[in-house]
Amino acid sequence: MQFLRQLRALVIVLGLMACLPAFAQTLDVKNIKPSGLTLSQSKQVLRVVMKHERYKMSSPKLSIDGPWLTDGKPVVPGYFHFGVVYVTSTQGHYAVNTSTGDVWDTESCERYTFPALIAIQKQISIKTGKKLASDDDARSELGCP
C-alpha cells in the first residue's frame, strides 16, 4: 500500500513537471532584459495565469485590454495593468510586475501563485536581479487594503 501511494505521488509530480515547460515556453526568457518585461512579455505572463484560471484564451471573443495608462505612464510604476475582456464585458482587472512577473487580481487584491508561474518568475528574477515583494509591500504598491 505504501508503494502505491509513493508511486501515485511520483506520477503526480512528474505530470506537474511535464506541464512546466509548456507554460514556460509561452515566455521567451532569453529575451528578458535587466530592465524588465516588455508589454508583450507582460501579456504573455498574464496569459499563463488566465490559462491556469481556465480562461479559453484561444477564443476570439476573449482579449486582453491594456495596458491602462495615466498621462501615458503606467497606473502604478513597475506594473502593467490590464483588463481581460469577453466580447465587451470586462471579466477582471490584473496587474503584472515588470521586474518579477508577479501577477495580482487588482479587484480582489489577490496574488497568483502556482508552480508554473513560480518557475517563470524565477527566470524573470534571474534576468532582472529583482525578487518578489512581500505580500504587504506589494499590496501597498498596488493600493490594496
Side-chain angles (χ1 to χ4, degrees):
M1 195 56 129
Q2 173 83 6
F3 173 75
L4 289 176
R5 274 187 258 146
Q6 290 174 336
L7 181 61
R8 185 177 2 192
L10 179 62
V11 168
I12 290 170
V13 167
L14 290 175
L16 286 172
M17 288 175 64
C19 291
L20 287 177
F23 279 116
Q25 286 175 358
T26 62
L27 178 65
D28 184 5
V29 294
K30 288 181 248 168
N31 291 325
I32 297 172
K33 295 187 176 9
S35 58
L37 299 173
T38 64
L39 173 59
S40 175
Q41 291 167 334
S42 296
K43 284 183 177 182
Q44 289 171 341
V45 172
L46 181 56
R47 282 188 187 96
V48 169
V49 171
M50 295 297 93
K51 286 179 185 177
H52 179 266
E53 294 297 303
R54 298 200 176 7
Y55 280 82
K56 295 192 188 299
M57 294 307 293
S58 60
S59 171
K61 294 180 179 182
L62 194 67
S63 63
I64 296 175
D65 180 42
W68 296 336
L69 305 171
T70 301
D71 298 325
K73 296 179 183 172
V75 175
V76 175
Y79 287 85
F80 280 127
H81 281 73
F82 302 101
V84 173
V85 179
Y86 182 77
V87 186
T88 59
S89 174
T90 302
Q91 303 298 299
H93 302 147
Y94 304 90
V96 178
N97 184 297
T98 59
S99 295
T100 63
D102 195 10
V103 181
W104 285 78
D105 176 325
T106 57
E107 292 178 313
S108 64
C109 284
E110 291 185 32
R111 176 184 253 168
Y112 287 94
T113 181
F114 52 92
L117 181 60
I118 291 168
I120 290 169
Q121 290 168 335
K122 284 181 182 176
Q123 293 297 314
I124 294 168
S125 289
I126 288 169
K127 294 289 190 167
T128 64
K130 307 283 176 150
K131 298 200 182 316
L132 289 178
S134 71
D135 236 34
D136 288 342
D137 287 346
R139 283 178 181 283
S140 178
E141 287 176 357
L142 291 166
C144 291

